[in-house]
Amino acid sequence: MTEETTGRSPGRKLGLTMLIAVLLAVPLFSVWLLVYDRQSQSETARASIAAGWGGPQTMAGPLLVIPYRTTITETVTEANRPVVRSRQIWQELTLSPESSAITTAIYPERRKRSIYEVVVYEAKVSGRSRFALPADLSRFGVAVADMALDRAELRFGLSDPRGLAGAGPRVSIGGRLLRLQPGGGAPATNGAGFFAWIDANALPGAALVADFAYEFRGNGKVALMPQGGETRWRVTSPWPHPSFQGGFLPNERRVGKDGFSASYRVGHLSLGQSLVATGGAQPVPSERMAPPLIASDGPSRGGYDARIDLVQPVDLYSRVNRSAKYGFLFIGFTFLALLMFDVIGGVRVSAVEYLLVGAALVLFFVLLLALAEVIGFTLAYVAASAAIVGLNTAYSAAVLKSWRRALLIGALLTGLYVLLYVLLSLEDFSLLIGSLMLFAALAAVMYLTRNLNWSARPGAHPVIE
């Protein structure tokens, strides 16, 4: 060691140690940027794996849309004189079902490309919806005689119709299969989906019951936008890690190792919408009815949905990022132990040695990230921590001139890595445990240095009574 190193007072040694620790914040911050960059690359790779399979899917409907004729009056100017004229236009009556019972079975599948993995799924949907004209239909300014019941449409919304799979959707009324058309879905899915023309002439005197079944593919999430007087939705899947999100949570749910099941029950009062809505005004070009419209303003869904996310059980990037946030604790505790050997044990530790030990501690997080992408987080954590503990222990034996002292450093690092893994597993108590660690470390330093003269003259050996 140089004289400059051995001649520093304990206070100056403490200041130098803190300065080196602050300088190590630069590579530690670079680790956070590296984690963010790798996470962005992972999301891009996962999107490319799922491309063409189907995106996150949202279901809506069915809705019954019936054109009706109405008369409007308007004032126009002819020969500088206002003239009142009447003309007929076609509008659309959008009717939500009085009740809907929908069952969805989700079958997940893991897809991998290189080191990246994404969860995709196939879903099978079946259900029954019951439609009826309200008794107070006249309040909406619509008469049954003005309705073109033989040109009604039954509309189903699906946010990404590319995912429609299997033999195709099957919709029937009274046991008769309907011919389906692309597009014309529910407004909640921006018109994406499919529809069928139906004859609803029996509707004024009786209810109309539609049975439907279809299959689709998607990834990430499945959502339903309730649009009925009463919507019952039952979902089952062998995926053991669901996350229930959205504006509605299940009334009943069961989650286990063999999968999950959930049951929803949503009423139209909680949706904040009427079962009947009018809109989509279009002119009537002649006495014959205009072709049915695909787009419709329809009723609003009220901004709520019931959503189930198929989450990955371990998000390694978030866990690596969280572990890197504890990097200063590792550096601080290790430097503190070296400082105690320096100022109390009389073993001189130079600035370069502090810097090399700190660099090894920062390297742990890079190793953890690189290995976790290949072998998983837990195995990567064990391998990376073992490598850094072994490296710093061997180096400390040379610096501290004693394997006994080096083993104390190794034991300290091992305890820190074990504690960090516990902190990552017990996220809710991480702040409490971290605070207790800092308190214990501060108390130990205060006790060990209670008689230490921090401003001792250079060259003087500090004495502990």
Side-chain angles (χ1 to χ4, degrees):
M1 302 294 169
T2 64
E3 265 200 44
E4 181 187 0
T5 303
T6 58
R8 290 194 181 98
S9 67
R12 290 184 178 181
K13 290 178 181 179
L14 175 63
L16 179 62
T17 303
M18 295 177 63
L19 177 61
I20 296 173
V22 171
L23 291 177
L24 289 173
V26 176
L28 199 57
F29 181 72
S30 299
V31 171
W32 294 337
L33 295 180
L34 179 61
V35 174
Y36 175 78
D37 179 67
R38 297 297 296 179
Q39 186 174 17
S40 299
Q41 292 184 30
S42 172
E43 291 172 355
T44 302
R46 290 174 181 175
S48 66
I49 296 173
W53 180 268
Q57 294 286 17
T58 299
M59 302 176 289
L63 297 174
L64 182 60
V65 179
I66 306 172
Y68 68 94
R69 184 162 31 202
T70 186
T71 301
I72 64 170
T73 59
E74 56 186 2
T75 303
V76 298
T77 302
E78 293 184 359
N80 296 324
R81 296 178 59 188
V83 178
V84 178
R85 290 186 173 180
S86 298
R87 65 187 181 97
Q88 286 188 328
I89 63 170
W90 288 104
Q91 289 188 329
E92 290 182 336
L93 178 76
T94 304
L95 188 64
S96 297
E98 285 188 335
S99 62
S100 285
I102 304 172
T103 300
T104 303
I106 304 171
Y107 303 96
E109 176 187 344
R110 297 177 186 267
R111 295 195 132 196
K112 297 190 68 174
R113 180 184 299 168
S114 183
I115 62 174
Y116 302 107
E117 181 181 85
V118 65
V119 178
V120 298
Y121 62 83
E122 291 187 4
K124 295 183 178 180
V125 180
S126 61
R128 168 173 289 189
S129 294
R130 182 180 186 276
F131 296 89
L133 290 177
D136 59 347
L137 182 63
S138 59
R139 292 179 177 270
F140 297 91
V142 180
V144 175
D146 295 326
M147 299 170 64
L149 293 170
D150 59 338
R151 297 300 300 272
E153 295 179 19
L154 195 61
R155 300 179 177 175
F156 295 81
L158 187 65
S159 58
D160 189 356
R162 297 176 304 166
L164 287 172
R170 297 171 299 281
V171 181
S172 64
I173 294 180
R176 185 174 65 88
L177 286 175
L178 303 178
R179 183 180 179 183
L180 302 178
Q181 306 291 335
T189 57
N190 296 320
F194 53 92
F195 75 101
W197 286 299
I198 67 171
D199 187 347
N201 277 304
L203 193 58
L208 185 148
V209 178
D211 294 291
F212 54 89
Y214 57 95
E215 301 175 11
F216 61 84
R217 301 181 301 187
N219 75 86
K221 72 167 187 175
V222 181
L224 174 70
M225 293 184 177
Q227 293 179 309
E230 181 185 46
T231 302
R232 294 177 179 265
W233 186 33
R234 176 168 174 77
V235 190
T236 58
S237 175
W239 186 254
H241 307 287
S243 176
F244 301 101
Q245 305 290 334
F248 297 101
L249 296 178
N251 300 87
E252 298 178 2
R253 64 181 180 181
R254 181 194 62 81
V255 180
K257 294 181 179 180
D258 57 342
F260 74 91
S261 62
S263 298
Y264 295 80
R265 183 175 179 180
V266 182
H268 78 284
L269 293 180
S270 58
L271 294 173
Q273 69 179 37
S274 171
L275 295 182
V276 181
T278 58
Q282 295 290 330
V284 179
S286 65
E287 289 297 317
R288 296 182 61 188
M289 188 190 336
L293 304 172
I294 291 180
S296 172
D297 293 332
S300 169
R301 68 176 179 88
Y304 299 104
D305 65 347
R307 186 174 75 249
I308 300 174
D309 295 338
L310 305 181
V311 299
Q312 293 275 25
V314 176
D315 184 356
L316 65 91
Y317 295 104
S318 65
R319 296 187 73 176
V320 173
N321 186 48
R322 285 182 56 216
S323 64
K325 293 178 180 177
Y326 292 95
F328 285 113
L329 284 180
F330 279 78
I331 295 172
F333 279 108
T334 307
F335 279 16
L336 191 60
L338 293 174
L339 183 65
M340 291 299 98
F341 283 121
D342 192 343
V343 301
I344 298 177
V347 180
R348 304 305 180 187
V349 183
S350 70
V352 175
E353 291 164 343
Y354 278 109
L355 190 61
L356 290 175
V357 171
L361 296 175
V362 174
L363 181 61
F364 162 76
F365 302 104
V366 180
L367 284 175
L368 177 61
L369 174 61
L371 294 174
E373 290 184 329
V374 179
I375 62 176
F377 183 83
T378 301
L379 289 178
Y381 191 93
V382 173
S385 58
I388 298 304
V389 169
L391 178 63
N392 274 336
T393 301
Y395 185 69
S396 299
V399 172
L400 302 177
K401 305 296 188 298
S402 169
W403 272 102
R404 181 180 178 184
R405 294 167 177 170
L407 290 176
L408 291 176
I409 297 294
L412 171 65
L413 288 176
T414 301
L416 287 175
Y417 284 122
V418 171
L419 188 57
L420 175 60
Y421 192 83
V422 174
L423 289 176
L424 295 176
S425 303
L426 303 175
E427 183 177 357
D428 294 338
F429 299 98
S430 59
L431 179 60
L432 175 62
I433 298 175
S435 300
L436 293 177
M437 283 176 54
L438 292 175
F439 177 82
L442 179 60
V445 172
M446 293 174 69
Y447 177 79
L448 293 175
T449 61
R450 63 191 184 280
N451 296 321
L452 180 65
N453 183 7
W454 289 97
S455 59
R457 294 190 309 275
H461 203 55
V463 178
I464 304 295
E465 296 182 0

